[in-house]
Amino acid sequence: MFKLKENQTNVKTEVLAGITTFLTMVYIVVVNPIILADAGVPFDQVFTATIIAAIIGTLWMGLFANYPIAIAPGMGLNAYFAYSVVGTHGNIDYVTAFSAVFIAGIIFIILSLTPFREKLITAIPENLKLGITAGIGLFIAFIGLRLTGIITAHPTNLVTLGDLREPSAYLTIFGLAVTLVLMTFRVHGALFFGMIATGLVAYFTGQLSFEQGLVAWPGLPEGIIVWNPVEALGDVITHGLYAVVFSFLLVTIFDTTGTMIGVAQQAGLMKGNTMPRARQALLSDSIAATAGAAFGTSPTSAYIESSAGVAAGGRTGLTSVTVAGLFLLSAFFGPLVSAVSGLSAITAPALIIVGSLMMGSISAIKWNELDEAFPAFLIILSMPLTSSIATGIAIGFISYPLMKVAKGKWREVHPLVYLFAVLFFYQLVFLPH
């Protein structure tokens, strides 16, 4: 079913890769409820809804697309939901906002069933794809450094070196060193074993504790929040949430598509300029986004942390199925998951190392052709500086056709690139992001 031999992998490697991906992204089951709680959504509701959405999307990805890519509610989109949609509209409560997410998800499914999104993958210029991969790598490495205090805010220069004497900083450096040594000796699952070593040190030094116990029963205190498309559409029309639906739709399409391309390229699963089984893969996040809105969470996205599992050897959907199974287990281990994911030093080394591996795509960019290189450079630069994959992709899509037109090569640009350059320009200038 998963074609393990064809993809030169085995069950052990795939399971370890799934565990690695899960550990690098499981923070979302804690962070997402915290953010959406600011919009008034009950913590337990979002905790369970986050897991349901992750299971649905990731299982679909593994079983029908056979890719080692995990799906879960996206960071950034949850903040937009809580602070821009609900927070700045006095007459918009979270139920109405979920209606907008639900409608965006339905439109998303329809687009995924058409050749549109597959054509979009083909239409994206090769150097932009390479820039997306490298930009994501730099972004997740920056996240790993920032979350652990190795890089910190500076009032003048924005960022600076943090205090390396802080426990989280030296624990991260320890985990980084152990993992790199294991990788140097080509130990399979080095990223996962590095996390285990870091977790043990954290536990015995008192940085990791389980004060809330280990097990708790999951629940949905408000049941299904949105289920009727007609009523949801009525909410969107009544409150004029067209721009909100458009923003969710546009950002999710490109955030997910860009991440899928980046991870697939890293795993060597792209066939030239195309992504096999693209429709099945793209359906996974659109279905998960719709289901997630019904239960009470913000839109889903393909997770850049999937690249950690790919670096650990994941090549097939068995990796994704493993991730989905672990999300199911995590529903019953809320306190344990909260404790581990609350200590970023355990997963940060994996993010930093994977970031360095993904930066390797820079070497294939045509740096001697300015009209190809500069848009890719802008993507790589803007993703970590704006803390947004979608913003980086938007800037790349806007600058690429402009550079081509300036050089008189406008015929080389696919019409879809021109279309989305206009849409992205409108979104960046006139819509919240």
Side-chain angles (χ1 to χ4, degrees):
M1 179 181 182
F2 298 109
K3 300 179 180 179
L4 299 181
K5 289 185 178 179
E6 184 179 317
N7 288 282
Q8 300 179 333
T9 184
N10 55 60
V11 173
K12 179 183 176 182
T13 299
E14 294 292 304
V15 171
L16 281 176
I19 293 171
T20 301
T21 295
F22 174 76
L23 287 175
T24 58
M25 66 179 289
V26 68
Y27 65 84
I28 192 63
V29 301
V30 176
V31 176
N32 201 43
I34 290 173
I35 292 175
L36 294 192
D38 288 341
V41 194
F43 186 97
D44 290 345
Q45 181 81 23
V46 186
F47 175 79
T48 305
T50 298
I51 291 172
I52 291 173
I55 291 172
I56 291 173
T58 307
L59 263 184
W60 186 285
M61 180 70 74
L63 296 176
F64 296 103
N66 198 27
Y67 281 117
I69 300 173
I71 304 291
M75 291 294 292
L77 288 168
N78 50 10
Y80 172 57
F81 178 98
Y83 307 121
S84 294
V85 180
V86 178
T88 59
H89 295 75
N91 60 335
I92 301 296
D93 60 11
Y94 65 82
V95 175
T96 304
F98 281 131
S99 293
V101 178
F102 191 70
I103 294 300
I106 292 174
I107 298 172
F108 206 12
I109 291 174
I110 294 171
L111 290 177
S112 298
L113 288 171
T114 68
F116 174 77
R117 285 185 73 184
E118 293 181 69
K119 288 182 178 179
L120 179 61
I121 291 178
T122 305
I124 299 176
E126 182 64 21
N127 283 281
L128 290 191
K129 290 179 181 177
L130 295 168
I132 289 169
T133 304
I136 290 172
L138 195 60
F139 179 37
I140 64 175
F142 178 71
I143 289 173
L145 292 169
R146 179 177 58 81
L147 288 177
T148 55
I150 294 177
I151 296 295
T152 189
H154 188 277
T156 304
N157 298 324
L158 300 184
V159 294
T160 187
L161 185 67
D163 186 354
L164 300 184
R165 295 170 296 180
E166 287 293 319
S168 61
Y170 67 68
L171 185 60
T172 302
I173 294 171
F174 167 80
L176 194 60
V178 170
T179 307
L180 287 172
V181 169
L182 292 174
M183 292 184 72
T184 300
F185 286 101
R186 301 184 183 278
V187 175
H188 290 295
L191 292 171
F192 172 65
F193 293 125
M195 291 180 198
I196 294 295
T198 309
L200 288 173
V201 171
Y203 179 76
F204 287 113
T205 57
Q207 297 181 59
L208 178 63
S209 61
F210 307 101
E211 297 176 358
Q212 303 299 319
L214 301 178
V215 181
W217 193 260
L220 285 168
E222 299 198 2
I224 298 177
I225 293 178
V226 181
W227 64 273
N228 189 328
V230 176
E231 290 183 4
L233 183 60
D235 285 340
V236 170
I237 295 173
T238 301
H239 296 279
L241 299 178
Y242 309 109
V244 173
V245 171
F246 177 72
S247 294
F248 278 136
L249 190 62
L250 196 62
V251 172
T252 305
I253 284 176
F254 278 90
D255 202 341
T256 296
T257 303
T259 300
M260 284 185 182
I261 290 172
V263 175
Q265 279 192 327
Q266 182 197 359
L269 299 174
M270 295 288 287
K271 303 296 182 184
N273 201 37
T274 62
M275 184 178 177
R277 306 176 303 282
R279 185 171 300 182
Q280 295 92 321
L282 296 169
L283 266 173
S284 61
D285 66 300
S286 54
I287 291 172
T290 308
F295 286 102
T297 187
S298 47
T300 57
S301 176
Y303 257 62
I304 53 178
E305 286 85 352
S306 301
S307 52
V310 169
R315 292 294 180 273
T316 75
L318 182 54
T319 295
S320 297
V321 172
T322 302
V323 174
L326 290 171
F327 267 113
L328 179 60
L329 286 175
S330 72
F332 302 94
F333 291 90
L336 172 63
V337 171
S338 177
V340 173
S341 61
L343 188 60
S344 56
I346 294 176
T347 56
L351 296 179
I352 296 167
I353 292 171
V354 169
S356 73
L357 297 175
M358 295 185 74
M359 283 291 290
S361 64
I362 281 182
S363 63
I365 294 175
K366 297 176 182 177
W367 292 109
N368 58 333
E369 299 179 24
L370 188 61
D371 54 323
E372 292 284 344
F374 192 70
F377 165 74
L378 288 179
I379 291 174
I380 296 167
L381 183 68
S382 57
M383 280 188 185
L385 293 185
T386 63
S387 296
S388 171
I389 293 172
T391 298
I393 294 172
I395 292 173
F397 262 78
I398 294 169
S399 60
Y400 187 85
L402 289 177
M403 294 289 292
K404 288 295 184 181
V405 170
K407 289 206 69 175
K409 298 180 179 180
W410 60 272
R411 291 185 182 88
E412 295 181 7
V413 182
H414 195 285
L416 280 177
V417 177
Y418 285 115
L419 171 63
F420 278 97
V422 174
L423 292 176
F424 270 127
F425 178 79
Y426 178 79
Q427 194 254 345
L428 288 180
V429 175
F430 298 107
L431 298 179
H433 51 82

